[in-house]
Amino acid sequence: MNEEEFIYYVTVALKNLGYNKAGIFNVEGEIKRLIKLYSTEEIKAKVAKMK
């Protein structure tokens, strides 16, 4: 899954949870920032630690 597809799925999920446009924009921005900051492996490791 590429970045655009991931952002799309997150956007749909946030809309289903009742987020407004500003909240969705903020979450999308944070995701894009993290994707640029960390490699895919680093993100996977951080998510695995959260489980």
Side-chain angles (χ1 to χ4, degrees):
M1 179 181 310
N2 65 30
E3 180 181 335
E4 290 178 17
E5 290 174 324
F6 181 73
I7 295 292
Y8 173 76
Y9 285 115
V10 169
T11 300
V12 170
L14 292 173
K15 286 180 182 178
N16 289 339
L17 292 170
Y19 275 66
N20 61 20
K21 288 182 180 182
I24 292 170
F25 178 79
N26 289 335
V27 171
E28 288 176 355
E30 184 64 14
I31 290 171
K32 289 176 183 178
R33 183 187 74 78
L34 292 172
I35 289 172
K36 289 178 184 177
L37 187 62
Y38 298 108
S39 71
T40 303
E41 292 78 25
E42 289 173 317
I43 293 171
K44 287 179 184 178
K46 289 181 180 297
V47 170
K49 285 183 184 178
M50 295 173 68
K51 292 183 179 179

